[in-house]
Amino acid sequence: MSSTSSNQMGQLVADKHVRYILMAEKKKESFESVVMDHLRMNGAYWGLTTLDLLDKLGTVSEDEVVSWIMTCQHESGGFAGNVGHDPHILYTLSAVQILALFDKINILDVGKVSSYVAGLQNKDGSFSGDMWGEIDTRFSYIAICCLSILKTLDKINVEKAVDYIVSCKNLDGGFGCTPGAESHAGQIFCCVGALALTGSLHRVDKDLLGWWLCERQGKSGGLNGRPEKLPDVCYSWWVLSSLIMIDRVHWIDKEKLVKFILDCQDLDNGGISDRPDDAVDIFHTYFGVAGLSLLEYPGVKAIDPAYALPVDVVNRIIFTK
Amino acid sequence: MEQGSSSEEDCFGLLNQFHHVLQSDPLIDEVGFIHPSQFTLLDKEDGLSNQNKPLPYNGTSRNFWNQDHKLGISTDILIQLCKDAKHVFLAALEEYKSHGNACNESQIMNIESEVMKHSQAVLLLSSDFGTAWNARKLILSKTDQLSAFTEELRLSGLILSNSPKSEPTWSHRRWIIKMISRRFSTPQEIITKESKLVESIGERSKMNYRAWYHRCWLVSYMAIGQVLHELNKSKRWAALHVTDSSCFHYRRRLMLRILESVNVKGSNAYDKTEAHKIWMEELDWNKELVERYVGREALWLHRRFLSLNWIMYFACNHSSETGLSIITNEEVAIFIDNEIHLLESSMIVPDTKFEDFQAQALYAAVYMLWLPKNIPELWRMLEEKLGTEKLKCVLSTIAQERPLFLQHLVNV
Ligand SMILES: [Zn+2]
């Protein structure tokens, strides 16, 4: 992207986003924040990863965050979305990712967390989200990503896990949450991510999937998650990271996508929304900044499309020990 | 948790009021959060048909509206009510988990009913609160009464009326159905009712992935007769909601299920000629819709699926029997002629309603090239039948909208 075009389309107001994230943690008086507090662990991951991508992770108290995370861990080894809640694989990955951001994986009982995750694998290779048994390819990705960070992939049957994910492939090249379920960009990210982390991308029909994914880009430059849906910043991340992993990102107009994401910023108070002029939230702020990172926007650290963590953090994981 | 102290009652006055409303009308079938200014409006509407006394006021403002089994909760009290409900629920759950084993049976039942009562309140306000759903699962898994499970279906249906996209709520429903089918057999009425529920929720909540996923999930519980029935039943809805790709995916799921049945023997087996007929009908119907509703992506994607399967499954099977290739297959040749005809009529862009027709031209052009992407032998047939001029036209239509993607196509 040339500097002239980025001037025309406006800039990333990084400082304002940092302030927005730091404020969001303190504002607890809206109904939205009350109904979100069961997934505070996810919120913390979105906020803190965004801060790290903007090189501002130092502004939060590491000790405070880390000790709060550890109070959310259960006997079973899994993590809850908040103190006093039940554990779920969704929050377990977020907890592990946040600890990775702070280079604090070593405070974990790795064996215990890994056993919790591995214990959720079913006979057919699929994963349940918790002891109650709902199956979803999202949970396959989460399990594989989590164990990759902990370097304990050998605790699960990887071959069966991969076979199950491949069985969720549709005729359009995309993936759904279980076999026969509709293709969905979020599920595709999970399946492609899991296949990338296990070195199984050859099981994807890259041209066919790339075809479906690049059809998600609309006239505005933003990407949607399914046919006929409106473009949305969060889907922009899921489609974009999938396209990068299967090496087909040159099939879409990246410059238009950058412009779309920048147009979703609240230029006064910070934060990014799902599409221009909507209300901002922390979820879309993370996906917006992460999307710009994949698009190599200046001033944003590079993010790894499969781990969904900054590349320097991933390198630290891979090259230590 | 201590009960009955006067300060507790003051603190949780709102919550008690909420429980009172829920207890006094166990048949509530719809819930929503509404601004208090709407209360008066609702009363006026209601006053025409109903002279019932409205619920008591709380000071100057009203908190709940409840008539004809519809419940409105004032947005003014949501934050406080939700905080209180969560607080009381988590306390009850902690008591249940820590003292559950040390108590006698009637005490346990008491604590259980507290957990059920407060989890219900929490979930009506915050449907994604997984721990509350889990607590209900824990208690329900101890019961052997079918009525407890059907009541649970009612509650989760009520919650979906306000939160149609709530994934934990849909997931809880699947858990209940699995429990019912494990313990009492799967009543076909439940499957039928679930299907209806998804349709009515899909009406209010467009392109709801979670709702339609639930309906797809039900397919594995269906016998072939019910699959055919569902295919028939969902047709009208699909024709009225042509942008809802999820509904068309549901039809694809059903149709693939029919194909599976062609390959089996026994009571679930299905005749291939009949399956062929279903495919042709769907293709014809889809063509009608494509021509009537111009520029609809969901319809063209559905056509990709139908055509690919028709060629691969119904035409190619013939050619493998006779040892002929696709290229020399008469049926495929006629099929492609018809598709080219549809392509040509779709690529005419009139001046009025420009955008829809432009989209139609793009979808038609991409569709035509998508088929040989999946069946490479079709390339030569298509090139011959289209000729250089028309092929150029197809490519330039794509180039206008997706130039970067076209570069890849041309390279192929
Ligand atoms: Zn979004």
Side-chain angles (χ1 to χ4, degrees), chain A residues 232-235 238 274-275 283-284 287:
Chain A
D232 183 325
V233 163
C234 65
Y235 289 106
W238 283 314
D274 55 356
R275 56 189 126 302
F283 177 79
H284 289 94
F287 284 114

Side-chain angles (χ1 to χ4, degrees), chain A residues 79-255:
Chain A
F79 286 82
N82 207 338
V83 183
H85 293 228
D86 288 351
H88 194 285
I89 200 169
L90 277 167
Y91 312 121
T92 305
L93 175 63
S94 286
V96 169
Q97 282 172 318
I98 297 168
L99 292 174
L101 286 177
F102 288 117
D103 196 11
K104 277 281 186 291
I105 294 287
N106 55 0
I107 68 162
L108 279 178
D109 181 342
V110 170
K112 208 171 174 186
V113 180
S114 307
S115 311
Y116 171 77
V117 173
L120 292 169
Q121 188 170 33
N122 302 301
K123 274 193 192 129
D124 62 358
S126 67
F127 280 84
S128 299
D130 62 11
M131 62 176 282
W132 298 106
E134 176 84 358
I135 291 168
D136 193 312
T137 46
R138 280 184 305 157
F139 308 147
S140 299
Y141 163 74
I142 288 171
I144 287 168
C145 186
C146 200
L147 298 185
S148 299
I149 294 172
L150 300 174
K151 297 181 173 175
T152 49
L153 260 185
D154 58 324
K155 290 245 183 178
I156 58 164
N157 187 331
V158 173
E159 199 185 324
K160 277 197 161 177
V162 167
D163 285 344
Y164 181 79
I165 292 167
V166 172
S167 76
C168 297
K169 184 156 66 174
N170 288 311
L171 278 168
D172 56 24
F175 296 82
C177 33
T178 53
E182 185 185 2
S183 296
H184 177 293
Q187 303 288 345
I188 291 172
F189 161 77
C190 289
C191 292
V192 172
L195 295 175
L197 291 170
T198 52
S200 316
L201 280 176
H202 58 279
R203 308 276 304 263
V204 182
D205 186 338
K206 292 176 186 163
D207 283 345
L208 190 61
L209 176 58
W211 190 311
W212 190 91
L213 287 170
C214 85
E215 288 184 292
R216 302 299 108 237
Q217 188 163 41
K219 283 194 193 307
S220 65
L223 302 158
N224 62 15
R226 279 181 291 145
E228 305 268 12
K229 296 277 284 184
L230 290 170
D232 183 325
V233 163
C234 65
Y235 289 106
S236 301
W237 153 268
W238 283 314
V239 174
L240 185 64
S241 53
S242 304
L243 281 169
I244 289 175
M245 286 187 273
I246 62 169
D247 197 22
R248 297 294 180 276
V249 73
H250 51 286
W251 289 7
I252 60 162
D253 190 330
K254 290 196 264 183
E255 203 162 316

Side-chain angles (χ1 to χ4, degrees), chain A residues 28-39 74 80-81 83-88 90-91 130-136 138-139 164 170-173 175-184 187 205-219 224 226-230 248-254 256, chain B residues 33 78-79 82-83 86 90 93 97 125-126 128-132 134-135 137-139 141 165 167 170-172 174-175 178 206-210 212-213 216-217 242-247 249 252-253 256 295-299 301 304-305 308-309 355 358 363 366-367 369-371 373-374 401-402 404-405 407-409 412:
Chain A
K28 293 223 178 83
E29 280 313 307
S30 70
F31 182 58
E32 284 68 29
S33 69
V34 174
V35 295
M36 290 272 284
D37 71 9
H38 65 274
L39 47 80
H74 274 243
V83 183
H85 293 228
D86 288 351
H88 194 285
L90 277 167
Y91 312 121
D130 62 11
M131 62 176 282
W132 298 106
E134 176 84 358
I135 291 168
D136 193 312
R138 280 184 305 157
F139 308 147
Y164 181 79
N170 288 311
L171 278 168
D172 56 24
F175 296 82
C177 33
T178 53
E182 185 185 2
S183 296
H184 177 293
Q187 303 288 345
D205 186 338
K206 292 176 186 163
D207 283 345
L208 190 61
L209 176 58
W211 190 311
W212 190 91
L213 287 170
C214 85
E215 288 184 292
R216 302 299 108 237
Q217 188 163 41
K219 283 194 193 307
N224 62 15
R226 279 181 291 145
E228 305 268 12
K229 296 277 284 184
L230 290 170
R248 297 294 180 276
V249 73
H250 51 286
W251 289 7
I252 60 162
D253 190 330
K254 290 196 264 183
K256 272 176 99 175
Chain B
F33 303 149
L78 274 180
I79 296 177
C82 194
K83 278 186 178 172
K86 281 184 180 183
L90 286 172
L93 181 63
K97 284 187 172 168
L125 300 163
S126 176
D128 290 343
F129 197 100
T131 305
N134 294 346
K137 290 189 186 88
L138 193 64
I139 291 169
S141 38
K165 290 184 175 172
E167 200 221 322
W170 286 110
S171 162
H172 186 68
R174 284 190 285 279
W175 182 84
K178 277 187 267 183
K206 302 292 176 213
M207 291 182 261
N208 181 335
Y209 185 81
R210 291 289 153 194
W212 285 96
Y213 169 65
C216 283
W217 175 81
V242 291
T243 58
D244 206 319
S245 201
S246 297
C247 178
H249 181 81
R252 294 194 276 277
R253 177 89 179 83
L256 286 174
R296 297 302 5 146
E297 187 181 16
L299 295 175
L301 292 189
R304 289 184 192 175
F305 165 86
L308 177 66
N309 271 292
E355 260 189 33
Q358 216 179 19
Y363 293 135
V366 177
Y367 159 76
L369 299 185
W370 189 86
L371 289 179
K373 159 77 188 95
N374 286 277
E401 294 292 324
R402 303 196 183 282
L404 297 161
F405 175 54
Q407 281 171 17
H408 151 74
L409 282 179
V412 171

